Amino acid sequence: MVVQLPRTCGNKLLVCDHTMINSVPGLALANETLYPIREVSRLSGVNSVTLRAWERRYGLLVPQRTDSGHRLYSMRDIERVKAIVSWIARGVPVSKVASIIDRQALPSLSVAPVAQTDSLADEQLQAAREQLIAAVARGDLLGLERVYGQLFARWPLTQLCNDILLPVWRQYRVQAKQGGASACWALLDGFLRGRLLQRIAFLQPDRASVLLVSLQPREEEVEVLLAALFLADADINIAYLSCLPAPEELLLMCDGGGHQALLLFSDRALEAGVLTRQLPRLNQQLECPVAALGACCELQAVELQQANISCLGLAQRSLTDSVQQLLAGRFDG
């Protein structure tokens, strides 16, 4: 319940005993909502002790402070906490999470004053996510198709994938694992798989071809398909394999298909056998380059380098340039 008498903190209006703290309209952070640590804990499922540890030990969070030292978090901070939880759940050490999520930039809004850019971007991204969630929650397939098309038309690929589609998909996946929203998860997952496969299946006879192999668990296929969108933006044909076949079969397919590169995607650390035996063997026997993409490039950069495997990086705009350089023989990552 909102208390009648608020107290101020700098340029913030702090509502006592309420979970949300709104800034004073007209100031630099106008219309931004801030949350105390207990509310962040409730929304994210991460206890306050852990949130403080992430801040002190790893610098993963930089909350604002009241005059009395209490922590205040924006919606951007809360989304960051959720992203941290997602990466840790995949086996990423907490010490390496920042290097991954810090590469996911928000869109620039040149028409807005600089001081308000982040807040406006957050609001628009949140509105986009809510549109998608509403269509899924209704089970409205035509509405989902419409929202999906609008998002692709409006947002740059990095923001579309990493700040809208993936967060909503992961949210439903977590809920389904916890015993809820399984129908919503199945609808969105199936819809995205179908639409994304359709997008990367467009072929042109005069384009270079790459073989993209997913090293993800089957239920996480959407992540590799979203990464494939950045590859498709490089104007290449993509032959997609949803799992890693036997090395002999993969060698035959690479050579017989005339592919200019073998790309392997994983947002998890690669298994020791794949990293120490299969990849070096493929790299030695194939004439085309072998490269990794996804979070494995951050998690096992040294090991991949020792195996002489190129690291193209995360699913973001630079991935498009990296694969073009790889095919041109100029990539040194």
Side-chain angles (χ1 to χ4, degrees):
M1 179 179 296
V2 179
V3 178
Q4 293 294 326
L5 297 176
R7 58 187 175 87
T8 60
C9 168
N11 67 343
K12 300 287 185 294
L13 183 64
L14 196 63
V15 183
C16 300
D17 297 326
H18 189 42
T19 57
M20 295 184 296
I21 301 147
N22 295 306
S23 59
V24 177
L27 297 179
L29 294 174
N31 299 321
E32 183 179 17
T33 299
L34 298 179
Y35 302 80
I37 195 168
R38 66 180 181 277
E39 181 66 6
V40 178
S41 181
R42 185 188 71 81
L43 292 171
S44 66
V46 180
N47 65 54
S48 300
V49 174
T50 300
L51 291 172
R52 295 189 188 99
W54 287 352
E55 176 190 341
R56 290 193 305 267
R57 297 178 191 173
Y58 307 108
L60 287 170
L61 299 168
V62 185
Q64 300 180 52
R65 298 273 186 163
T66 67
D67 291 339
S68 57
H70 294 295
R71 293 171 174 82
L72 301 177
Y73 300 82
S74 66
M75 183 54 67
R76 175 190 289 263
D77 294 323
I78 295 172
E79 293 300 328
R80 184 176 177 86
V81 170
K82 292 178 180 178
I84 294 168
V85 171
S86 176
W87 286 113
I88 291 175
R90 296 176 182 165
V92 179
V94 66
S95 59
K96 295 186 177 182
V97 168
S99 65
I100 297 175
I101 62 177
D102 283 345
R103 298 192 181 201
Q104 299 178 352
L106 290 174
S108 61
L109 301 176
S110 57
V111 298
V114 173
Q116 296 184 21
T117 297
D118 287 350
S119 179
L120 289 172
D122 283 342
E123 290 176 7
Q124 294 188 359
L125 285 167
Q126 182 60 28
R129 288 189 288 265
E130 289 173 357
Q131 267 189 305
L132 185 60
I133 289 170
V136 173
R138 293 193 305 267
D140 181 2
L141 189 59
L142 291 178
L144 183 56
E145 179 74 42
R146 183 169 57 255
V147 170
Y148 177 82
Q150 291 170 348
L151 293 175
F152 263 93
R154 178 179 180 186
W155 288 96
L157 196 54
T158 299
Q159 281 68 52
L160 172 70
C161 293
N162 295 328
D163 296 320
I164 301 173
L165 296 180
L166 268 179
V168 175
W169 177 82
R170 286 171 178 160
Q171 175 181 321
Y172 277 121
R173 181 168 176 263
V174 169
Q175 291 175 355
K177 282 188 170 183
Q178 294 172 348
S182 58
C184 291
W185 153 250
L187 175 66
L188 181 59
D189 185 63
F191 176 85
L192 288 179
R193 285 180 196 237
R195 295 302 181 273
L196 295 173
L197 282 168
Q198 188 177 44
R199 279 182 175 267
I200 67 172
F202 181 73
L203 305 177
Q204 290 285 349
D206 57 342
R207 291 180 176 178
S209 174
V210 302
L211 187 61
L212 174 63
V213 180
S214 173
L215 304 182
Q216 295 281 96
R218 179 66 177 176
E219 65 270 18
E220 297 176 5
E221 185 180 31
V222 162
E223 293 174 330
V224 63
L225 295 177
L226 286 170
L229 294 182
F230 294 94
L231 300 177
D233 253 21
D235 293 329
I236 58 178
N237 292 331
I238 301 172
Y240 171 64
L241 301 182
S242 60
C243 62
L244 181 65
E248 296 79 9
E249 296 181 52
L250 195 54
L251 289 168
L252 287 173
M253 184 168 290
C254 283
D255 292 336
H259 302 295
Q260 279 76 53
L262 171 62
L263 309 180
L264 302 113
F265 177 93
S266 179
D267 261 346
R268 297 173 177 265
L270 300 177
E271 295 179 1
V274 173
L275 191 59
T276 61
R277 293 191 298 273
Q278 294 189 44
L279 292 189
R281 178 185 173 186
L282 289 169
N283 200 39
Q284 291 170 3
Q285 297 187 19
L286 284 173
E287 294 185 6
C288 67
V290 180
L293 58 146
C296 63
C297 296
E298 300 284 341
L299 300 174
Q300 298 169 304
V302 174
E303 294 88 342
L304 287 166
Q305 184 179 23
Q306 291 173 345
N308 202 26
I309 303 298
S310 299
C311 291
L312 300 183
L314 301 173
Q316 55 189 0
R317 177 51 63 190
S318 60
L319 181 58
T320 305
D321 296 331
S322 295
V323 74
Q324 288 175 330
Q325 293 171 16
L326 180 75
L327 295 176
R330 299 193 302 268
F331 186 75
D332 58 1

